[in-house]
Every structure is written in structure tokens, then in C-alpha cells.
Amino acid sequence: NAGVTQTPKFQVLKTGQSMTLQCAQDMNHEYMSWYRQDPGMGLRLIHYSVGAGITDQGEVPNGYNVSRSTTEDFPLRLLSAAPSQTSVYFCASKRGILINEQFFGPGTRLTVL
Amino acid sequence: DQQVKQNSPSLSVQEGRISILNCDYTNSMFDYFLWYKKYPAEGPTFLISISSIKDKNEDGRFTVFLNKSAKHLSLHIVPSQPGDSAVYFCAATVSGSARQLTFGSGTQLTVLP
């Protein structure tokens, strides 16, 4: 199993550009989520999904969209990038909503100029 | 308002000695606590957890202690090894429909050879 994979590893955008961060897992996990990590802030939840077709907002959802058309994939879209979205983004998954431990991908480092 | 706090951004310990990482929380609804370890350019990996019905959980060199009355938990690593040098995140969750994780800001542990 590859676990949780994320692409790209690095990305530089200009303000106003759009892009999609990809996340996939091959563990047949129901629950997937996106976090951002900023210095001194820990990891903060952006959006999450408890299953295909179901998504919900986390702590910091503004400026981001998600969809979950398959169990395996959970892309994160930035419609109009802003410098405040410069961060490291982590995707995570877990077997079910009643499970506490999550598995994380390697992260995408995004810089918005 | 940070509900999970790690007040020490960094900690240095000599190889072979004990490392103690601390975490405080404010939300009395939290009933499950986790520690994650993160190396540079990698995603966090699950290390150890504890339910609020326990006050101690041990896994090899790692022990987590929970003091509910003080809303405090700690991670003990003994003996510390150079490979333990990483950022350690404390996380907490409320047993519920989605079991979101709330993370602390992390502590950089450096184990000196």
C-alpha cells in the first residue's frame, strides 16, 4: 500500500491563480481531511469528508473548496490564491469516523507570491 | 483561543536521558489524546494515544500520562535516542460523529549524541 499520497510536493503560485492539491489513499478509508500547518499554529483543519459525496467545513475553510466523488480521492481547490494561503498542506485519512488515529500524507508546500 | 497548548517550542536532551514533552488543554469535553511525531519534509506519524478513562499508556520507550483534573498530559521518552529528534504534536478529540483532531503547536525535540 502506498498509504496517503499528495501531489505536488512543492508549488509556487501568483496571487489570484487557482490550483488543485491532489490527495489519494489506497487503504479504503472512509474519512479524509485536509489540514494546513503554519509556524507556531500546529495543524488546523480546513475541510473533511466522512465518505464519498459528503464533505464539511473545518476550522479554517475560507478560500478552499473540496469534493469527494470517490472513496480514494479528496482534492483541495484554491479558487483565487492569496499570500495568506502560503502554508504546508497535509491530507489525512482514517478507517472510519469512530476511529481516532489518522494517517497523514507527506505534505504539499505552497507559496503564494 | 488555542484549546490545546504546547508551551515549549523546543527541548534539548542528552542521548540516553529522559525526554518529557508537555501538553495542556482547555476543553473538558476532550476524551481522547494522541501524540504525533513529525520529521522534516514528511507528514506526521501517529506515536501513542490515551483515552480519558486511563491515566497512563505505555508503548516501549514511550509513555503518555494524563492528568484530567489538571487538564495536562505528558509524553515521556526513555531512553532518548538521536533518531527521536523531531517535532512532536499533541492532539485531542471529542468522541462524536467525526472525531476531529485539535492539534497543539508542536515541540521540537533535539536529542544530542
Side-chain angles (χ1 to χ4, degrees), chain A residues 79-113:
Chain A
L79 297 178
S80 179
S84 60
Q85 295 178 304
T86 294
S87 188
V88 182
Y89 291 84
F90 291 101
C91 180
S93 74
K94 59 180 181 175
R95 189 158 32 94
I97 61 174
L98 298 182
I99 303 298
N100 293 309
E101 296 83 3
Q102 296 191 32
F103 295 85
F104 284 83
T108 294
R109 182 174 293 274
L110 175 68
T111 302
V112 183
L113 302 175

Side-chain angles (χ1 to χ4, degrees), chain A residues 9 31 33 35 37 40-45 48 50 57 88 90 94 97-107, chain B residues 2 32 34 36 38 41-46 49 87 89 93-106:
Chain A
K9 291 184 84 70
Y31 180 99
S33 55
Y35 292 85
Q37 184 196 2
M41 302 285 291
L43 282 80
R44 292 181 293 168
L45 182 66
Y48 66 96
V50 299
Q57 296 181 350
V88 182
F90 291 101
K94 59 180 181 175
I97 61 174
L98 298 182
I99 303 298
N100 293 309
E101 296 83 3
Q102 296 191 32
F103 295 85
F104 284 83
Chain B
Q2 280 193 298
Y32 198 88
L34 308 91
Y36 279 82
K38 184 185 179 305
E42 294 183 12
T45 55
F46 170 72
S49 63
V87 177
F89 289 100
T93 187
V94 178
S95 299
S97 62
R99 305 208 172 187
Q100 313 297 357
L101 293 180
T102 300
F103 283 86
S105 54

Side-chain angles (χ1 to χ4, degrees), chain B residues 16-44:
Chain B
R17 307 294 289 267
I18 185 170
S19 296
I20 300 176
L21 295 94
N22 294 303
C23 178
D24 297 294
Y25 62 96
T26 57
N27 187 343
S28 56
M29 297 295 290
F30 288 144
D31 59 3
Y32 198 88
F33 304 89
L34 308 91
W35 285 93
Y36 279 82
K37 176 179 179 179
K38 184 185 179 305
Y39 292 118
E42 294 183 12

Side-chain angles (χ1 to χ4, degrees), chain B residues 27-104:
Chain B
N27 187 343
S28 56
M29 297 295 290
F30 288 144
D31 59 3
Y32 198 88
F33 304 89
L34 308 91
W35 285 93
Y36 279 82
K37 176 179 179 179
K38 184 185 179 305
Y39 292 118
E42 294 183 12
T45 55
F46 170 72
L47 188 59
I48 192 169
S49 63
I50 188 167
S51 165
S52 61
I53 62 173
K54 295 185 174 182
D55 54 19
K56 176 183 173 181
N57 188 28
E58 201 169 347
D59 183 3
R61 297 186 297 114
F62 303 91
T63 302
V64 56
F65 295 91
L66 175 62
N67 182 334
K68 289 187 290 293
S69 61
K71 294 191 177 67
H72 176 83
L73 64 155
S74 60
L75 174 68
H76 293 212
I77 306 172
V78 55
S80 301
Q81 299 174 353
D84 295 329
S85 297
V87 177
Y88 289 79
F89 289 100
C90 171
T93 187
V94 178
S95 299
S97 62
R99 305 208 172 187
Q100 313 297 357
L101 293 180
T102 300
F103 283 86

